[in-house]
Amino acid sequence: MSTAHVLLGLLAERPKHGYELKKEHDHRLAGAKPLAYGQVYATLQRLERDGWAEVTQTQQEGGPERTLYAITDDGRAELDRWLNTVEPSAPYVSGPLFARVAVAGSAADGYLMRQREAHLARMRELTAEKAGGSPARVLAADYALQHLDADLRWIETALARMKEDHDA
């Protein structure tokens, strides 16, 4: 995920300050790792340096000074480029689930069964979270559920292949 592009997308709506950007990031990308304030401000400085965002005003209303940032025309062009770029599929098989099974070989079936149970438990949690959740939370849960479902299908395939190899 490109934090810079996500912040540009949030700035495309209207000028915002760092605190507001952090809150909106964490709300809209529900389920993603929350953004640290330091990362927000470091990213805003890079966006400003690159000409994709600019300071429009500085406010102080009974608290800390807040700097308002706006997206520039160059920033909009970069955001459009990013939004229209197709995400390539991963060129290599990777991930701890696959690595454990590949290394364990025929002894992986116990691990796969435990992983299957863990995935099913997480799917139940995510399904419960969807009830009454915000649209962002529901989308995040749907995304995670579908990835877990794909893992479960692969686990079933791996178990079947291991059984075939054992029976052969």
Side-chain angles (χ1 to χ4, degrees):
M1 176 187 73
S2 169
T3 300
H5 290 100
V6 170
L7 294 185
L8 282 175
L10 296 173
L11 287 173
E13 298 168 347
R14 64 178 169 72
K16 297 173 183 165
H17 53 78
Y19 176 77
E20 187 178 11
L21 287 166
K22 188 254 188 291
K23 283 178 50 179
E24 281 195 38
H25 170 280
D26 294 352
H27 175 75
R28 291 219 197 151
L29 278 78
K33 182 179 177 187
L35 205 54
Y37 285 106
Q39 187 177 4
V40 171
Y41 293 107
T43 302
L44 285 169
Q45 287 175 348
R46 282 192 305 279
L47 290 173
E48 189 177 10
R49 178 201 68 205
D50 294 343
W52 295 348
E54 63 188 359
V55 174
T56 59
Q57 100 185 73
T58 304
Q59 305 168 327
Q60 186 162 17
E61 299 171 3
E65 188 175 86
R66 296 202 189 270
T67 302
L68 211 56
Y69 292 86
I71 192 170
T72 63
D73 289 341
D74 285 348
R76 281 188 194 283
E78 175 57 22
L79 177 62
D80 287 343
R81 185 203 62 75
W82 181 71
L83 289 172
N84 289 301
T85 301
V86 173
E87 191 68 29
S89 60
Y92 305 104
V93 176
S94 64
L97 174 61
F98 174 74
R100 282 188 181 95
V101 172
V103 170
S106 62
D109 50 343
Y111 166 73
L112 286 169
M113 295 305 291
R114 289 188 304 279
Q115 190 64 55
R116 181 180 182 281
E117 290 307 312
H119 273 38
L120 290 170
R122 181 64 180 137
M123 290 176 88
R124 286 189 291 273
E125 291 170 5
L126 288 164
T127 301
E129 284 179 20
K130 286 174 52 171
S134 69
R137 176 77 51 199
V138 171
L139 278 174
D142 285 340
Y143 184 85
L145 283 164
Q146 290 182 24
H147 280 265
L148 288 167
D149 184 58
D151 279 357
L152 285 173
R153 288 192 312 266
W154 181 81
I155 287 170
E156 295 303 323
T157 299
L159 287 167
R161 293 219 192 282
M162 290 169 51
K163 185 177 182 328
E164 287 171 6
D165 288 348
H166 182 358
D167 291 344

